[in-house]
């Protein structure tokens, strides 16, 4: 989870033990966080990205998120 203006960005399915940051560390745009993994029911490595309004995932609500000014469709694939 990354706290930022407007909410919290959650990165899921990172490769186990690949994270390059520590809890509480400040991160910058473009900084490597970790490697994409292949957990869950998938055929290839991937990362799920979600924005929420709180670190309390039991009560958090989704927040719109854009990539390069565009909001992808639900389930859409974003490439960099």
């Amino acid at each position: 989870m990354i706290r930022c203006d407007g909410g919290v960005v959650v990165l899921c399915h990172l490769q186990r033990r690949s994270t390059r940051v520590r809890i509480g560390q400040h991160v910058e745009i473009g900084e490597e966080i970790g490697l994409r993994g292949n957990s869950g029911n998938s055929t290839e490595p991937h990362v799920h990205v979600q924005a929420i309004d709180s670190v309390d995932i039991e009560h958090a609500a989704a927040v719109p998120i854009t990539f390069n000014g565009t909001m992808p469709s639900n389930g859409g694939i974003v490439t960099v």
Side-chain angles (χ1 to χ4, degrees):
M1 294 184 172
I2 303 170
R3 291 181 195 208
C4 58
D5 292 340
V8 179
V9 175
V10 183
L11 304 174
C12 304
H13 297 291
L14 293 176
Q15 189 178 105
R16 190 177 303 266
R17 295 181 192 84
S18 74
T19 53
R20 309 272 196 267
V21 296
R22 298 175 311 280
I23 293 173
Q25 178 180 337
H26 178 84
V27 295
E28 296 287 337
I29 293 172
E31 186 172 346
E32 185 174 298
I33 304 296
L35 302 176
R36 64 181 179 224
N38 197 21
S39 61
N41 184 16
S42 64
T43 58
E44 58 189 77
H46 65 285
V47 174
H48 289 179
V49 179
Q50 182 174 357
I52 55 178
D53 63 357
S54 168
V55 295
D56 179 2
I57 60 173
E58 295 289 325
H59 300 100
V63 174
I65 187 171
T66 62
F67 297 87
N68 294 324
T70 303
M71 184 181 301
S73 61
N74 188 19
I77 297 173
V78 177
T79 60
V80 291

